[in-house]
Structures are given as structure tokens and as C-alpha cells.
Amino acid sequence: MHYNRLGRAGLQVSALSLGSWVTYHNQVDVDAAVELMAAAFDAGVNFFDNAEVYAKGQSEVVMGEALKRLGWPRLNYIVSTKFFWGLERDGNTVNRKDTLNRKYLMQAMDGSLKRFGLDFIDLIYCHRPDPHTPIEETVWAMHNLIEQGKALYWGTSEWPAADIRAAYEIAERHHLHKPLMEQPQYHLLHRSRVEQEYARLYEEIGLGLTTWSPLASGLLTGKYREGVPAGSRGAMENMAFLRDGLLDAQRNAAVAQLLPIAAELGGSVAQLAIAWLTMNPRVSTVILGASKRTQLDENLGALALRDKLTPEVMARIDAITKPLAA
Ligand code: NDP
């Protein structure tokens, strides 16, 4: 494993990290989380990603319980959570749903700490932009959470570049903690935000990236070429919104063209797709997802392919995937 600075910060994150969306609580219970996290940690992973909204708070409960059982020194791992959608959908949600207002953020933070059973969370994110709350209000709230010792660094997820820069400038003007990292979707078939929209932010504000869905929810393993396999994410009822994308004929044809390249390199398409992400120096860490130990082991093995991704191989991969990439 190698480690990268998280943007301009001194903090170093493992090139591959492990997330809990969809999996924790639904496919992965505490025992399985302990097994997955231990395997990742043994391979050098030091960052575990989470969010308030994942499994309605239960993903934080599972990860917190797993961390308790694993008993690692607190300095040896980094955990995150994210706020925006709110937890409960019943009752009066006017101030606690789809928002980044100060009241919600302050109370959401306390809820996450309680579910995790931790004194602080290393990385907290604004999970989406909220066009109805002044960015200044959100920046002050994130700054105050850090000043209160409840979090160490803050960032954004899927914010437009202009909003990230606005937040940075507000923080700089008032000498507040600035946004450090963004969490965007980034994989072979989804590239423009990371490669175009954010291009100026890396040097100009030292933005770090913790990227999500490296395998496009499993599409980039090749397992959706013949339809939706039983037991996969695409077969889950509440993931129906992903199905058209997972079954897309053109995208699956591109994956089929990657198969022989992966085989030439002595790896799988999933490993090729993950190794490709780690070649972008702007990416601080690639957040992996896995519902099973075998998947995690395969995905962690991606780093072995890096040396084989010569400019010539990278050009072949680009020729197949870039025309289809969003
Ligand atoms: P991927 O795109 O890698 O999808 C992971 C899923 O693909 C697994 O759960 C598994 O699903 C399948 N899979 C993974 N590896 C293999 C393999 N080797 N062989 C076969 N199937 C495989 O990542 P995620 O979409 O899970 O995203 C990773 C993390 O990023 C999340 O856990 C979360 O922490 C973060 N994230 C952040 C978002 C944000 O808005 N900030 C949004 C989404 C994710 P199955 O077995 O069920 O088919």
C-alpha cells in the first residue's frame, strides 16, 4: 500500500480505502464488517468511509461496533461521515432534510458521534450542495464543529467547483477552517467533474479527492454483461434506480473490450479499473466497496497492476472508455 497526502493537509490516506454504502447493515453485519475491515487494515488501508444517511444511521452503528471490537489505536485509522439528507423522514422535517443549515449540522454531528461511539470523526463532509442555505452559514458550522473537537477536517461531496471555491474564500476571509477534500464519483465511465470541472482547484486551493464508486456499482467487474446476477446490488429492490445504467449495452460492451487487456496484465477488469484510478495524482484515495471478502481481496490486489499500466496500455483503455464517459 502507498499513502497520499489528503490535498494540502499533512494527513496521509491509503491509496485504497473502504466504504460502507449499501453494504453495511444490509449485506454486511458487524461480524462481516470486522472481517472486511481487518483484512483491509492488514493490507494497509487506514481510511473507512461512512455517512449519516447510509442504512439510515445503521451503517455508522455497524462500523462503530466493528471498530470497538477491532480495538485499533485511534491514531492508526481515519473515519468519515457526511451530512445533508437527514435521518428521519417522519414528523416535521423542515429543518433537518436536504439541508446544510447550522442547526441540522450541529445536531447531526452529535447523532453520528453517538452512533459511532467515538469522541471525534476525522473527516466530515457536506454530502451534497444546499442552494437554500448561505454557504457562509455552512462554512461557519463546519468550522465550529472542528473547533469543538468533534471533527478534524471538513470537505464536500459532489459540490460544483464554484461552490467549493466560494466556501474556501469565505473561510480564508474569516480565518476559518477551509474545505480540504471533495468526494466525487470517479471511474472509467465518469470522468469530467474530476478531470475538467475541478482542474483548477487542485493547485489553487490544494483540494484533495476521496473518490467513490470505482467500479460503477459493479458494472466494471463485467458481472452485468449477461443480465443482473442474483444477490448483486443490481438485484436489490431499493437499488432499482441503478439498473438501467448497470445493464447499458454500450457500457457493457466497453467492459467486454477491457477483458483481454486485463487478462494480458494478469488481472481482472475490476483490478484494472481500480489501478487506473490510482494513476491519477489528484486522487488521494479510491474508496472501495465490497459486499464479500473475496471481492475485497480481489480489489485490494489492484495495486499490483499499477506498474503494468504503461502509457501505451493507458491509451488503449482510454480509446475504449473515454468516448462513453460522462
Ligand atoms: P463500487 O463501484 O466499487 O461498487 C461496489 C459494489 O460492487 C460491491 O458492494 C459489490 O456489490 C460489487 N463488487 C465490488 N467488487 C467486486 C468484485 N471484485 N467482483 C464482483 N462484484 C464486486 O463502489 P461503491 O459504489 O460501493 O462506492 C464505494 C464507496 O464510496 C461507498 O461505500 C461509499 O463509502 C462511497 N460513496 C460515496 C458517495 C457519495 O455521494 N459521497 C456515493 C456512493 C458511494 P454486490 O456484491 O452487491 O453486487
Side-chain angles (χ1 to χ4, degrees), residues 19-21 23 27 49 54 82 127-128 157 183 212-218 221 223-224 231-233 270 287-292 295 298-299:
S20 58
W21 180 54
T23 52
Q27 298 167 298
D49 186 61
Y54 295 170
K82 317 188 196 83
H127 210 157
R128 287 295 181 270
S157 180
Q183 187 166 134
W212 60 267
S213 282
L215 301 177
S217 277
T221 65
K223 70 197 231 182
Y224 291 97
S232 66
R233 181 178 294 182
I287 310 175
L288 304 175
S291 66
K292 299 179 185 69
Q295 295 174 354
E298 177 182 345
N299 300 350

Side-chain angles (χ1 to χ4, degrees), residues 118-130:
L118 292 172
D119 301 329
F120 68 93
I121 303 293
D122 302 87
L123 312 180
I124 53 171
Y125 294 82
C126 298
H127 210 157
R128 287 295 181 270
D130 167 15

Side-chain angles (χ1 to χ4, degrees), residues 122-181:
D122 302 87
L123 312 180
I124 53 171
Y125 294 82
C126 298
H127 210 157
R128 287 295 181 270
D130 167 15
H132 307 294
T133 296
I135 291 178
E136 183 163 332
E137 177 175 339
T138 299
V139 171
W140 270 102
M142 299 306 268
H143 168 79
N144 290 149
L145 290 173
I146 292 176
E147 287 294 290
Q148 290 171 2
K150 294 175 180 174
L152 303 184
Y153 302 89
W154 79 275
T156 57
S157 180
E158 297 293 350
W159 275 32
D163 286 4
I164 297 172
R165 189 183 288 276
Y168 181 92
E169 285 172 357
I170 289 165
E172 184 153 75
R173 200 174 314 135
H174 297 287
H175 302 288
L176 308 178
H177 292 285
K178 300 174 188 119
L180 172 67
M181 67 286 174

